[in-house]
């Protein structure tokens, strides 16, 4: 579980000219972006009970929103935290 989110530009009422932040609390194979809402950090809770704070992985920020920091905790295509 974690501070997961995406910038929706594809489903009404959102659009490319009206991007909307959608928050959710699980990261999985299809939803891999995170909301860095704690002073630029994102918190993730692992199945063993520990919590880690992550910084945005360089080059993964979703540029569809200038207001919110949404991106990834690993490089695109990585399965590092999904195993």
């Amino acid at each position: 579980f974690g501070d997961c989110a995406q910038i929706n530009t594809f489903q009404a009422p959102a659009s490319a000219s009206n991007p909307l932040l959608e928050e959710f609390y699980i990261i999985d194979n299809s939803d891999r972006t995170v909301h860095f809402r704690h002073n630029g950090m994102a918190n993730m809770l692992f199945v063993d009970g520990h919590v880690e704070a992550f910084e945005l992985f360089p080059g993964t920020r979703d540029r569809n929103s200038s207001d919110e920091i949404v991106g990834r905790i690993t490089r695109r295509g990585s399965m590092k935290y999904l195993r």
Side-chain angles (χ1 to χ4, degrees), residues 10 12 38 43 63 75:
F10 52 87
H38 304 286
N43 295 324
R63 297 291 177 187
R75 65 175 172 75

Side-chain angles (χ1 to χ4, degrees), residues 1-5 26-28 31-37 40-46 50-62 69-83:
F1 291 99
D3 295 325
C4 301
I26 190 164
I27 189 168
D28 62 24
D31 298 310
R32 296 183 182 174
T33 52
V34 177
H35 190 191
F36 295 85
R37 62 182 176 194
M41 303 290 282
N43 295 324
M44 302 298 287
L45 169 66
F46 290 82
H50 84 278
V51 175
E52 287 184 44
F54 288 86
E55 294 179 337
L56 176 72
F57 192 84
T60 65
R61 184 172 181 172
D62 187 330
I69 302 173
V70 173
R72 297 171 185 262
I73 59 174
T74 62
R75 65 175 172 75
R76 183 176 287 283
S78 173
M79 296 292 288
K80 183 174 182 179
Y81 297 105
L82 297 176
R83 295 177 188 205

Side-chain angles (χ1 to χ4, degrees), residues 3-18:
D3 295 325
C4 301
Q6 68 180 0
I7 304 296
N8 181 348
T9 59
F10 52 87
Q11 185 178 33
S15 66
S17 62
N18 182 40

